[in-house]
Amino acid sequence: MQEFDKKEFKKNVEEYVGVFFRKPIEEASRQQVYQGVAYTVKNMIIDDWLETHKTYEEQDLKTVYYLSMEFLVGRALGNMITNLKADTSIREALEELGYDLETIEDEEPDAALGNGGLGRLAACFLDSLSTLGYPAYGCGIRYKYGMFEQKIENGYQVEVPDNWLKNGNPFEIKRSEYATTVKFGGYVRMIRDEYGNDRFVQENYQSVRAIPYDMPILGYGNHVVNTLRIWDAEAIDTFNLDSFDKGEYEKAVEQQNLARTICEVLYPNDNHIAGKELRLKQQYFFVSASIQRAVAKYMEAHEDIHKLYEKVVFQLNDTHPTVTVPELMRILLDDYYLGWEEAWDITTKACAYTNHTIMSEALEKWPIELFKRLLPRIYQIVEEINRRFILQILKEYSSDAKKIEKMAILYDGQVRMANLAIVGGFSVNGVAKLHTEILKKQELRDFYEMFPWKFNNKTNGITQRRFLLHGNPLLVSWVTGKIGEGWITDLSLMEKLMPYTEDEQSRKEFMDIKYRNKVRLAAYIKENNGLAVNPDSIFDVQVKRLHEYKRQLLNILHVMHLYNKLKDNPDMEFYPRTFIFGAKASAGYERAKAIIKLINSVAEVINNDEAIQDKIKVVFIENYRVSNAEIIFAAADVSEQISTASKEASGTGNMKFMLNGALTLGTLDGANVEIVEEVGEENAFLFGLHSDEVIEYEQQGGYNPRELYNSDRDIKRVVDQLVDGTYSREDKALFAPLYESLLAGKGGEPADRYFILKDFRAYEAAQEKVEKAYRNMEGWAKAAMKNTAKCGKFSSDRTIEEYVKDIWHLSKVQK
Ligand code: NBG
């Protein structure tokens, strides 16, 4: 990258606009100017991108392939400008052209190729890998439609397709030269080759062409550019005379359809598996293409396939890419003619698996029938892996029949992907200390007993470059003014802010910034919801995917309770509160959608009740996504992290709030535990059942929500308000499913499965502490600053360094 030349930059933007749109810049639309800027910025990094890859090759560095169905990158332009350290100069250049940078950034659609935390984590990891200078590829799918856009109509969620590519994607480069073929279906035939060896060939299959699109992932100020490689499918041209002659018209059409559907859309499920055939196709499609290409690339520069694992490591982001294990085996066996033991040795040294949940509905299992029909050769290999593994189990635990039932890969007509991922790799990690302990002691206990050395913890992290540097400019200049800019690449330096917590002036400055960020969010809310909220009120925020275990229902029931109290006792002491929600529910998740409707209905009633004098406001932010998240985190006072203990593997929103100086109100779940360890219990608000208590109830029973309901008048009152028309005059049955989920359960599912009523009073008490604490502004300011100061551990840079040291064993590029 050369020195930034403003004149040159402006000229380039004008030229792009001219070439693409045949217009002088004065006549171009904002979107057209955005495109011009985006191409210009891409141009600024192209040389570094090439150079980085050349250097990797020269230094023959080991590469991690981070395989993930999801990369929730959000917008790229602002992030690239930040990482180029060209913020100020590009801002000035644009101003001279008559635009401000934010307006231009707003023209970019979010690349929403992910659902929630799991996808965003993958994006943060890529940012850290580049910034730290480690060779890495993100491998995923170029969904034509990403996470749906959420509209709220009459309080209901409506899903609108996210056509993010409609204006093209300036940052991607199509790499047709790396296209590969991926095969589905057909059957496997054994043939004897000329040397008398048995070989397996797949016949009568359908195939698609996998075409990679590369997106640059820029490190911060270091000229390192890694690649996010997302695959698109194209039909193989079968409409040639040959196939018509053979009467294969139908097959040709089928192949075209397969290619069209495979990358069409991201499944909008978070912590839940749809189990659809197309999903398995997506998984195999991107895995096969990525692994084939990775092996080919390795062989371009090395002779010995046996040493593949010295230069290549595959990290499986949850079980979704688990077919990596049998696919790599297939390549080694069928294409490189290795024997089983050799192939297995390489594979198990090259694959590592991250577990992201203990929720049973998210545990991937495929019906054998489907798996075998779609991936006949892969299935054969899985069968053999399973057969050998069972022999191993028998050898170690001959007398214990239960072990096979629990650990087999193929069991009860199903392929159990987690078991395959554990057996087929050298590392299994959870994403927070508590989560990893639960895996070892509960969910994966048998595997932990058999392979204790594989298990390790990697507490999640987030990139401060997006969630502070880009998202919160006011706080950035304050922090940098106090401690310099080292924190941008070493978040532990935030600790240096600690002395300022004792300084009154600094506390005032800090809270003033929070206030101005609240004003910014209030303006966003005014514009998007048409609702005025008071920046002097406590901004109490819960933004994350909607899921029963995350307990947005607990939050809104408590709001209903507060409102009851205020109505009963209008003169009670009450500090004004703005309860802010943002959440997408997956399209088929009825209860989650009912909770969204409930939040909006409660908002409607409370926000319009003049009697309570604006003491409570309830806001549902439509279409919560990476780009508006940055604004929301910056403005939060209270961070709601109230999942049922044991259910949230880590959480990463909790870290983004902390970084921006919000106090956690939460259960001892996931990474909350470690956040509180860092910041101190006195600077957070903890409540509720502990994970071992929850697990005990789940296993032994003994919790009866109806008893609680009958014995606690306030609880009974809010629960009844779900069905007495208070919030659904038009249709009293509207929230009956929520009422029943709390008191009756359904189809074998226990009532109040997520212990909402059980934790209600504890939550209320914690909320009272919040109010009390907020009244002491000095104390609050101190605590908020401490949250920012103590967030160092939660940088994804730290997480990546741990993956590198314990799992990947990469070396930094030498420049
Ligand atoms: C999610 C967990 C979160 C965690 C992210 C990233 C899945 C399957 N898991 O708690 O629910 O923070 O993964 O690790 O989406």
Side-chain angles (χ1 to χ4, degrees):
M1 194 185 64
Q2 302 96 19
E3 274 296 289
F4 184 80
D5 177 339
K6 205 186 334 177
K7 233 167 95 194
E8 180 76 7
F9 181 89
K10 290 197 298 186
K11 194 172 120 242
N12 282 338
V13 174
E14 283 173 334
E15 261 172 30
Y16 276 114
V17 171
V19 171
F20 288 139
F21 308 110
R22 214 205 50 179
K23 272 186 190 161
I25 193 154
E26 304 77 46
E27 288 172 26
S29 69
R30 276 188 209 157
Q31 171 62 215
Q32 290 168 336
V33 177
Y34 155 71
Q35 299 258 339
V37 174
Y39 277 102
T40 307
V41 168
K42 181 163 91 177
N43 213 1
M44 290 165 69
I45 61 168
I46 282 288
D47 290 346
D48 282 343
W49 200 1
L50 277 168
E51 193 57 34
T52 300
H53 284 265
K54 218 174 99 207
T55 317
Y56 288 166
E57 273 159 31
E58 281 163 12
Q59 298 176 8
D60 194 20
L61 297 174
K62 186 174 183 186
T63 302
V64 59
Y65 289 81
Y66 196 83
L67 295 155
S68 179
M69 290 284 275
E70 305 190 12
F71 287 93
L72 191 41
V73 266
R75 291 176 177 157
L77 179 62
N79 191 241
M80 286 196 196
I81 294 176
T82 310
N83 285 6
L84 277 170
K85 297 192 176 181
D87 254 292
T88 325
S89 23
I90 290 185
R91 185 177 295 278
E92 272 175 31
L94 285 176
E95 270 160 19
E96 288 172 21
L97 290 172
Y99 290 93
D100 74 286
L101 181 55
E102 280 73 30
T103 320
I104 296 303
E105 283 183 26
D106 276 342
E107 284 298 314
E108 182 179 355
D110 279 37
L113 309 183
N115 273 284
L118 176 143
R120 183 55 231 178
L121 183 76
C124 284
F125 280 4
L126 295 183
D127 182 89
S128 287
L129 279 160
S130 293
T131 297
L132 296 168
Y134 292 116
Y137 276 93
C139 303
I141 297 174
R142 184 176 178 270
Y143 301 106
K144 189 161 168 218
Y145 295 92
M147 187 61 206
F148 65 78
E149 182 193 339
Q150 179 191 56
K151 296 251 185 247
I152 299 296
E153 284 175 14
N154 186 29
Y156 290 97
Q157 166 177 298
V158 177
E159 302 90 25
V160 179
D162 164 50
N163 191 2
W164 72 294
L165 291 168
K166 71 169 182 277
N167 295 312
N169 176 3
F171 294 110
E172 69 186 12
I173 298 185
K174 183 173 180 175
R175 307 299 297 274
S176 303
E177 65 273 35
Y178 296 133
T180 51
T181 303
V182 179
K183 299 174 186 172
F184 295 97
Y187 48 82
V188 180
R189 200 159 64 86
M190 197 172 83
I191 54 166
R192 184 137 301 166
D193 72 9
E194 63 219 84
Y195 308 105
N197 298 314
D198 292 337
R199 301 273 166 235
F200 296 88
V201 286
Q202 197 171 343
E203 289 184 346
N204 200 33
Y205 52 80
Q206 286 185 4
S207 52
V208 293
R209 204 91 188 117
I211 318 276
Y213 285 72
D214 287 354
M215 307 237 273
I217 307 289
L218 209 56
Y220 180 78
N222 66 354
H223 305 274
V224 172
V225 186
N226 280 319
T227 302
L228 168 57
R229 174 162 285 175
I230 48 180
W231 296 88
D232 189 20
E234 284 181 11
I236 288 174
D237 184 18
T238 39
F239 279 93
N240 52 42
L241 273 178
D242 251 17
S243 27
F244 281 115
D245 282 353
K246 290 188 208 131
E248 288 189 344
Y249 177 80
E250 236 174 77
K251 190 177 157 201
V253 175
E254 269 173 25
Q255 291 207 159
Q256 299 254 341
N257 281 337
L258 178 65
R260 235 194 314 277
T261 53
I262 244 174
C263 299
E264 189 72 6
V265 63
L266 164 79
Y267 279 95
N269 295 307
D270 187 270
N271 265 289
H272 187 92
I273 289 310
K276 295 274 169 32
E277 179 163 340
L278 181 60
R279 167 98 175 172
L280 182 56
K281 284 185 190 159
Q282 291 184 336
Q283 296 184 346
Y284 184 65
F285 168 76
F286 95 94
V287 164
S288 176
S290 305
I291 306 299
Q292 287 187 57
R293 184 61 214 139
V295 173
K297 185 170 161 64
Y298 166 82
M299 287 308 283
E300 282 160 15
H302 304 88
E303 310 245 284
D304 189 359
I305 187 75
H306 295 88
K307 292 189 180 158
L308 178 77
Y309 61 85
E310 289 182 3
K311 296 294 171 189
V312 169
V313 56
F314 299 111
Q315 187 68 38
L316 316 184
N317 196 27
D318 215 332
T319 52
H320 319 151
T322 299
V323 283
T324 298
V325 171
E327 174 65 3
L328 181 55
M329 286 295 287
R330 182 192 68 78
I331 294 170
L332 298 173
L333 296 168
D334 297 358
D335 297 349
Y336 287 88
Y337 300 159
L338 298 191
W340 183 275
E341 268 85 17
E342 298 170 282
W344 187 244
D345 180 62
I346 298 166
T347 301
T348 49
K349 284 179 178 160
C351 296
Y353 156 60
T354 305
N355 175 290
H356 291 269
T357 186
I358 62 158
M359 298 290 294
S360 57
E361 55 270 53
L363 271 194
E364 282 194 301
K365 298 182 181 114
W366 295 104
I368 287 182
E369 171 280 317
L370 161 66
F371 197 93
K372 190 172 170 176
R373 171 163 51 79
L374 212 61
L375 310 171
R377 179 61 182 139
I378 293 299
Y379 179 70
Q380 276 188 340
I381 293 168
V382 173
E383 260 188 329
E384 182 60 12
I385 296 173
N386 183 56
R387 190 185 69 81
R388 290 173 181 246
F389 179 52
I390 286 180
L391 289 179
Q392 196 184 345
I393 300 176
L394 287 172
K395 211 162 116 202
E396 285 186 38
Y397 307 97
S398 52
S399 55
D400 192 348
K402 277 261 177 274
K403 288 280 175 191
I404 292 178
E405 183 182 331
K406 286 195 273 188
M407 299 171 80
I409 295 162
L410 299 176
Y411 199 82
D412 210 10
Q414 290 180 314
V415 190
R416 305 197 286 206
M417 302 309 270
N419 299 18
L420 178 56
I422 298 167
V423 174
F426 64 93
S427 166
V428 178
N429 76 279
V431 288
K433 265 198 251 169
L434 176 69
H435 170 59
T436 302
E437 285 311 305
I438 294 175
L439 289 179
K440 293 200 291 198
K441 291 201 195 97
Q442 309 276 339
E443 307 301 310
L444 303 178
R445 182 181 173 155
D446 299 292
F447 289 101
Y448 176 59
E449 272 172 27
M450 193 161 178
F451 312 110
W453 63 88
K454 291 192 186 183
F455 283 73
N456 63 94
N457 175 245
K458 295 287 163 284
T459 297
N460 282 167
I462 57 165
T463 170
Q464 65 268 30
R465 267 95 47 197
R466 184 174 291 262
F467 293 103
L468 187 59
L469 186 55
H470 185 258
N472 194 344
L474 294 174
L475 191 54
V476 167
S477 31
W478 184 83
V479 171
T480 303
K482 300 277 188 243
I483 65 170
E485 54 178 36
W487 62 271
I488 299 173
T489 49
D490 179 0
L491 199 63
S492 70
L493 295 176
M494 292 296 244
E495 181 89 36
K496 288 200 204 160
L497 289 171
M498 278 306 279
Y500 296 99
T501 61
E502 299 302 330
D503 172 43
E504 196 182 327
Q505 177 59 24
S506 303
R507 287 199 299 265
K508 209 183 135 310
E509 291 162 4
F510 191 88
M511 289 315 282
D512 186 52
I513 288 167
K514 181 60 81 181
Y515 181 81
R516 286 161 67 193
N517 281 322
K518 286 163 82 172
V519 170
R520 176 172 73 157
L521 179 58
Y524 180 91
I525 291 170
K526 180 80 197 156
E527 184 175 331
N528 289 275
N529 296 55
L531 182 73
V533 298
N534 173 7
D536 282 316
S537 64
I538 304 173
F539 276 22
D540 178 319
V541 188
Q542 186 173 23
V543 286
K544 48 182 76 245
R545 281 302 291 265
L546 215 139
H547 204 297
E548 284 164 281
Y549 84 76
K550 297 180 187 280
R551 301 201 295 192
Q552 285 93 350
L553 184 55
L554 172 60
N555 186 344
I556 196 69
L557 285 173
H558 173 257
V559 173
M560 289 158 60
H561 170 62
L562 276 185
Y563 179 58
N564 288 340
K565 286 202 339 193
L566 259 184
K567 295 296 276 183
D568 292 349
N569 187 357
D571 298 325
M572 71 184 271
E573 258 196 32
F574 195 93
Y575 203 99
R577 260 292 180 138
T578 305
F579 292 96
I580 298 169
F581 294 84
K584 290 181 186 178
S586 96
Y589 190 174
E590 287 306 327
R591 269 189 206 158
K593 293 175 108 174
I595 293 168
I596 291 179
K597 172 67 178 165
L598 176 64
I599 295 168
N600 283 304
S601 304
V602 171
E604 174 84 22
V605 171
I606 297 185
N607 296 346
N608 293 309
D609 182 348
E610 285 176 11
I612 63 159
Q613 301 164 338
D614 295 335
K615 284 181 184 155
I616 307 178
K617 289 283 176 206
V618 180
V619 182
F620 189 94
I621 293 182
E622 189 177 67
N623 203 27
Y624 172 60
R625 61 193 185 284
V626 178
S627 51
N628 60 18
E630 294 177 30
I631 302 171
I632 297 169
F633 293 126
D637 294 310
V638 180
S639 157
E640 297 257 6
Q641 307 301 335
I642 61 178
S643 54
T644 312
S646 79
K647 303 299 180 213
E648 190 71 274
S650 163
T652 43
N654 46 6
M655 303 167 185
K656 297 164 197 167
F657 280 107
M658 179 193 197
L659 174 67
N660 284 277
L663 276 62
T664 302
L665 164 56
T667 48
L668 277 170
D669 199 16
N672 297 353
V673 176
E674 290 160 76
I675 287 182
V676 171
E677 238 169 61
E678 294 298 303
V679 77
E681 254 185 70
E682 66 288 1
N683 299 306
F685 306 92
L686 291 174
F687 74 96
L689 291 175
H690 291 194
S691 58
D692 43 2
E693 295 172 308
V694 168
I695 292 168
E696 169 93 12
Y697 277 127
E698 286 176 339
Q699 291 174 350
Q700 313 295 330
Y703 167 49
N704 183 351
R706 199 168 274 279
E707 257 169 36
L708 250 174
Y709 165 86
N710 285 324
S711 63
D712 186 321
R713 279 182 40 225
D714 292 334
I715 289 184
K716 181 165 189 311
R717 185 167 169 200
V718 284
V719 172
D720 286 344
Q721 283 173 337
L722 292 174
V723 288
D724 69 4
T726 309
Y727 297 104
S728 55
R729 255 159 303 158
E730 72 274 31
D731 176 8
K732 286 192 185 173
L734 200 56
F735 302 122
L738 300 179
Y739 176 90
E740 274 148 26
S741 77
L742 294 172
L743 295 180
K746 199 172 151 189
E749 169 210 60
D752 195 11
R753 176 174 171 198
Y754 295 109
F755 303 90
I756 289 175
L757 303 186
K758 184 81 186 161
D759 274 347
F760 187 87
R761 285 296 187 186
Y763 178 60
E764 181 195 23
Q767 281 285 23
E768 279 166 8
K769 281 196 198 142
V770 169
E771 173 168 336
K772 196 159 158 246
Y774 200 83
R775 286 177 189 280
N776 168 7
M777 249 311 125
E778 290 300 315
W780 187 276
K782 234 184 238 187
M785 284 169 77
K786 281 187 188 160
N787 271 275
T788 299
K790 295 283 191 180
C791 68
K793 174 173 176 187
F794 303 105
S795 169
S796 45
D797 299 342
R798 187 269 314 151
T799 314
I800 287 299
E801 290 291 17
E802 290 180 7
Y803 274 92
V804 166
K805 185 167 138 294
D806 303 339
I807 306 176
W808 301 336
H809 307 295
L810 310 175
S811 314
K812 280 189 187 175
V813 63
Q814 301 298 321
K815 283 226 163 190

